[in-house]
Amino acid sequence: LKPIAFQSSKQPLAKRLGVLEMNTAIDGSYEAIKDFLHFLETNVRVANAKSFSVTPVIGVGAAGERYSLVLAVEMYYQEP
């Protein structure tokens, strides 16, 4: 996680908007990756996917098809 500087507010009583940049890589089944993305989509914080890449993991064997997801997400929150 990397915090990014607060964005300035144009309204005097509005709190400033903060951004956390999250870069992560996960491996798992299609269903597990889909569940993870669904969690980001329905989370309380607003998230914006900046970039992502999905590739199959080769040589898994009996474990079934597995994939690797590399994801960059910006998550927004208000200044406390």
Side-chain angles (χ1 to χ4, degrees), residues 24-31 33-34 37 51-60 64-71:
T24 189
I26 60 171
D27 292 338
S29 67
Y30 173 81
E31 278 300 317
I33 289 176
K34 188 171 123 178
L37 292 173
S51 65
F52 66 92
S53 171
V54 178
T55 55
V57 176
I58 299 173
V60 175
E65 288 191 33
R66 299 191 61 81
Y67 298 90
S68 176
L69 171 70
V70 177
L71 181 67

Side-chain angles (χ1 to χ4, degrees), residues 36-64:
F36 176 76
L37 292 173
H38 180 72
F39 169 75
L40 284 178
E41 181 181 52
T42 59
N43 194 338
V44 173
R45 292 191 183 187
V46 175
N48 182 27
K50 288 178 56 177
S51 65
F52 66 92
S53 171
V54 178
T55 55
V57 176
I58 299 173
V60 175

Side-chain angles (χ1 to χ4, degrees), residues 1-4 18-22 45 73-77:
L1 288 176
K2 175 180 145 188
I4 299 174
V19 180
L20 289 174
E21 185 177 302
M22 178 179 75
R45 292 191 183 187
V73 177
E74 289 180 333
M75 301 185 87
Y76 300 93
Y77 64 97

